[in-house]
Amino acid sequence: MDKATSDLQAEVDRLRHELQSLTIENKPSDNEEHITVSDYLLTRLEQLGVTSIFGVPGDFNMRDYIEDHPRINWIGDCNELNAAYAADGYARVKEHSIGVVVTTFGVGELSAINGIAGAFSEMVPVLHIVGVPSTVQLKTKPLLHHTLGNGRYPFDAYTKAAEQVTISQAKLMNKGHAATEIDRVLTDCITHARPVYLTLPTNMVGEQIPSRRLGVPLPRTPPANNPDVEAYVLEEIVKLVDAANQDIIILIDACAIRHDVRDEVNDLLTKTRFPVYSAPMGKTAVSEEHDRYGGIYIGSISDPAIKKKVETAKLILSIGALKSDFNTGMFTYSIPAIHTVELHSDHTLVRHAQFPGIGMKLLLPKLTAHLKQYQQGASQLDVPRFKLDVPKETDERITHTYFWPRVGKFFKKRDVIVAETGTSSFGILDVPLPDQSVFLSQILYGSIGWTVGNTLGAAIAARDKNLGRVILFVGDGSLQLTVQELSTMIHQRLTPIIFVINNDGYNIERNLHGMERKYNDIQDWKWTSLLTTLGDLDGTLSKSYTVRDKASLDKLLDDAEFAKAGKIQLVEVVMGKFDTPRALKAAAELSAKNAEKV
């Protein structure tokens, strides 16, 4: 099945859903029920498991309908960028649902667009609802506030900007098409795992439309694989497995999470017992306590034992690979295509042959059925235990070498762990995380400050799912970009633990360029006063700490009351200005070498 055929199949599936919807809509009824366009949209979101929507009030948006909804909460953010980050975090933790952000047009949506771009880059399903002027105003084009003020009406400009960072867009200009358009963009959002964009004019929010279409669930399943091509692909993979004589590993990556194949991958592991390793963006895609899990593979930056196991395997089954620079150790993967089978959401690669339209969601169960016969031999393959011991250091200063394995001992089952771009995301790579924990990072897009808003959304989703603690690791420089959202966390009575790495500035930037440059320095803050300044005015809802040495760090991490996370807590961790995690040092050196080649 080529791409054109795959696209045609997707359109057939959409039309099938539309036919089902029209059949219900056209069925005679004595009691035709109607619903507002806003309530139709909110009901669809409720069907997708959405319980919270993020945004900033604006005179054109639909916040009243959200606030009045009995089961969906309005979460007011400090700015639209943070709201978009929060919607991203909500969607990452609340799998099978989506994140939703509401802004006003122009000033609001453009402020949010960086957060939407990050979600697009990393394949996170987010709906961006933009409140716009009435349909009459959109046609007559008066000089309204939030427009560009130069005689050029802005909506094409704004929509064109949105088109670059969303998979699908809809303008609700006619109530007769409103339900169809809402269903279309939401279907695109959940099936492609990408953001979508929906403009809602002020006079459309209260328009009445038939509700019966809501009786047809939105389709979630990917297009069917061509059975003949799929059978051929399976046959070719089995031949390669036979030729590899059991010397096979599985390499799991981000798209296994984004495209909902965790269950299929776990079934493959259980029934084949092949060793499994993870790329950085695939961390926690499978349990890091699984007895067949060997650790993180990141090219030449990998632990030597892991690097050897992966790169000497005769066959690699790569699932959901996303081969960005930081995710591949600055493109130092040493796994030739001739030894690789790659499974993706919409195609499969078998060595050098590409098979468009053969998606992993439907292929994996059949592949497992073919490969389970190899379990006995695969079980004999040695998998060194992925562990990281806390080093014995005589110096009392807190170093990255000590800090990350030490906090690794602090983590618990079902914790949600968020690591900021740079020092934190590199530092935590070598730390094995507990079973059923959730790891969030933005390794591909890498927007500094992303984690703060993201933690807000992640904490609300974690509360919905009855997950464990939410723990954020963020640098002092990164936190200064988006610090306001700590206020929203206090307002929402969330209780994350926030570790602030205070190393006097942008550590990752120092390592990439300008180690001694003043532009990587920042003004120091009184970090332990942030939570009282930003909302906990009487100091009853929060607690803050500063740790400057190993003894004070150990004492805090061993404290049962602190570990309970009953209130929002901030820990300032004072580290050396130039101290750097091992993986970040290695990545920076490779980046410098690559830059010299250009």
Side-chain angles (χ1 to χ4, degrees):
M1 185 187 294
D2 59 20
K3 187 177 188 304
T5 307
S6 177
D7 290 345
L8 181 61
Q9 180 62 55
E11 180 64 10
V12 168
D13 291 342
R14 187 191 69 78
L15 291 172
R16 185 178 293 115
H17 173 262
E18 187 63 22
L19 180 61
Q20 289 178 298
S21 300
L22 289 172
T23 301
I24 286 183
E25 285 183 323
N26 294 326
K27 187 176 180 180
S29 174
D30 295 331
N31 298 308
E32 178 69 43
E33 291 187 12
H34 282 70
I35 191 171
T36 66
V37 170
S38 291
D39 284 334
Y40 183 93
L41 173 57
L42 292 172
T43 301
R44 275 301 194 203
L45 295 177
E46 186 180 3
Q47 290 175 349
L48 294 176
V50 174
T51 58
S52 293
I53 290 176
F54 305 89
V56 176
D59 50 345
F60 293 100
N61 64 28
M62 56 178 285
R63 63 190 184 278
D64 290 344
Y65 282 87
I66 301 169
E67 185 167 307
D68 292 341
H69 194 280
R71 291 171 297 278
I72 295 180
N73 299 315
W74 167 263
I75 308 295
D77 293 84
C78 295
N79 60 54
E80 293 88 356
L81 173 61
N82 285 343
Y85 287 159
D88 177 303
Y90 183 91
R92 289 179 190 243
V93 173
K94 201 166 186 180
E95 295 176 30
H96 311 297
S97 186
I98 66 172
V100 184
V101 57
V102 174
T103 70
T104 198
F105 82 107
V107 293
E109 62 179 304
L110 294 181
S111 179
I113 198 167
N114 183 54
I116 300 299
F120 183 89
S121 173
E122 301 222 344
M123 289 171 291
V124 181
V126 173
L127 168 65
H128 186 185
I129 303 170
V130 179
V132 300
S134 70
T135 53
V136 172
Q137 291 172 319
L138 292 176
K139 292 173 182 176
T140 58
K141 303 181 180 180
L143 188 60
L144 298 175
H145 60 289
H146 300 339
T147 60
L148 298 176
N150 62 353
R152 176 189 176 196
Y153 216 54
F155 301 110
D156 284 346
Y158 297 160
T159 301
K160 285 178 181 176
E163 287 172 354
Q164 310 311 308
V165 295
T166 56
I167 193 72
S168 184
Q169 308 81 34
K171 300 178 183 179
L172 300 189
M173 297 293 288
N174 183 318
K175 73 173 186 178
H177 298 147
T180 302
E181 287 293 272
I182 289 169
D183 287 359
R184 177 179 64 82
V185 295
L186 287 178
T187 299
D188 288 342
C189 186
I190 59 179
T191 55
H192 293 283
R194 299 270 193 178
V196 295
Y197 175 83
L198 177 69
T199 61
L200 188 53
T202 54
N203 65 317
M204 289 290 292
V205 293
E207 287 282 2
Q208 297 281 325
I209 60 175
S211 65
R212 283 191 289 173
R213 186 184 179 97
L214 292 168
V216 180
L218 296 176
R220 284 182 172 273
T221 55
N225 294 336
N226 180 300
D228 293 334
V229 178
E230 184 180 67
Y232 177 77
V233 168
L234 289 168
E235 182 180 339
E236 291 301 300
I237 295 174
V238 171
K239 286 180 183 177
L240 293 176
V241 172
D242 280 335
N245 193 28
Q246 311 289 347
D247 189 4
I248 299 160
I249 64 113
I250 296 170
L251 182 60
I252 195 84
D253 208 342
C255 292
I257 302 171
R258 306 290 189 264
H259 291 282
D260 189 28
V261 295
R262 283 184 196 259
D263 290 344
E264 289 82 358
V265 169
N266 280 319
D267 191 47
L268 175 67
L269 291 179
T270 299
K271 292 179 178 175
T272 66
R273 304 285 294 164
F274 290 133
V276 60
Y277 297 82
S278 172
M281 289 181 69
K283 191 171 176 66
T284 70
V286 298
S287 172
E288 297 189 351
E289 292 185 353
H290 196 290
D291 66 342
R292 305 303 287 165
Y293 180 71
I296 299 289
Y297 175 67
I298 183 171
S300 64
I301 299 174
S302 308
D303 176 277
I306 294 172
K307 177 176 163 60
K308 181 179 179 181
K309 285 289 185 182
V310 172
E311 295 180 359
T312 61
K314 292 181 179 176
L315 182 66
I316 296 170
L317 298 179
S318 171
I319 301 176
L322 211 168
K323 297 179 182 179
S324 69
D325 49 1
F326 283 154
N327 202 39
T328 62
M330 308 308 293
F331 306 117
T332 59
Y333 267 23
S334 184
I335 45 176
I338 198 168
H339 294 156
T340 307
V341 172
E342 289 189 19
L343 278 60
H344 295 274
S345 63
D346 59 358
H347 70 281
T348 299
L349 291 166
V350 181
R351 303 173 84 179
H352 296 288
Q354 182 169 352
F355 300 90
I358 303 300
M360 62 184 173
K361 180 73 174 176
L362 301 177
L363 180 68
L364 271 168
K366 297 171 185 175
L367 182 61
T368 299
H370 282 73
L371 299 186
K372 63 183 181 181
Q373 60 179 305
Y374 300 96
Q375 184 187 97
Q376 185 174 355
S379 298
Q380 306 306 311
L381 295 172
D382 179 48
V383 183
R385 193 71 186 143
F386 180 46
K387 63 179 182 177
L388 191 63
D389 295 324
V390 181
K392 304 292 184 183
E393 294 183 348
T394 56
D395 192 327
E396 270 303 299
R397 290 176 298 180
I398 301 172
T399 63
H400 286 287
T401 304
Y402 182 85
F403 178 75
W404 295 108
R406 181 61 186 87
V407 295
K409 304 293 185 183
F410 175 73
F411 295 142
K412 297 180 180 178
K413 184 176 181 178
R414 296 174 66 81
D415 279 346
V416 177
I417 299 156
V418 190
E420 177 61 60
T421 295
T423 300
S424 298
S425 61
F426 277 95
I428 206 167
L429 282 182
D430 291 330
V431 178
L433 302 182
D435 185 42
Q436 298 181 45
S437 58
V438 179
F439 177 66
L440 306 183
S441 65
Q442 199 189 51
I443 291 172
L444 173 54
Y445 194 62
S447 183
I448 295 177
W450 166 84
T451 55
V452 185
N454 203 266
T455 296
L456 167 67
I460 289 173
R463 185 167 62 186
D464 286 354
K465 295 184 66 177
N466 294 315
L467 294 175
R469 304 168 302 178
V470 177
I471 304 171
L472 165 62
F473 296 93
V474 60
D476 50 355
S478 297
L479 182 54
Q480 288 190 2
L481 271 72
T482 49
V483 67
Q484 310 97 312
E485 230 49 48
L486 297 181
S487 177
T488 311
M489 296 179 202
I490 294 169
H491 186 62
Q492 294 295 325
R493 300 297 188 265
L494 301 170
T495 62
I497 299 173
I498 302 156
F499 289 92
V500 182
I501 311 300
N502 183 354
N503 51 14
D504 293 329
Y506 300 114
N507 181 264
I508 185 172
E509 297 297 339
R510 292 189 201 284
N511 280 272
L512 293 174
H513 187 81
M515 184 65 78
E516 302 282 354
R517 290 290 183 176
K518 293 180 181 179
Y519 50 66
N520 286 324
D521 297 337
I522 63 169
Q523 178 62 44
D524 200 15
W525 286 3
K526 191 173 181 180
W527 300 101
T528 53
S529 295
L530 281 181
L531 296 178
T532 51
T533 300
L534 294 175
D536 183 22
L537 302 183
D538 62 4
T540 60
L541 299 174
S542 68
K543 195 161 184 180
S544 296
Y545 314 81
T546 296
V547 293
R548 299 179 181 276
D549 51 49
K550 292 182 174 72
S552 58
L553 174 65
D554 291 344
K555 181 179 178 181
L556 182 62
L557 294 179
D558 289 337
D559 184 273
E561 191 64 24
F562 172 75
K564 191 165 61 175
K567 58 177 64 177
I568 185 169
Q569 298 174 100
L570 184 146
V571 183
E572 177 190 9
V573 184
V574 179
M575 289 192 179
K577 186 174 183 177
F578 302 112
D579 188 36
T580 304
R582 177 199 66 81
L584 177 52
K585 279 184 182 178
E589 290 169 3
L590 288 170
S591 180
K593 289 178 181 178
N594 289 340
E596 291 170 0
K597 296 176 183 177
V598 177

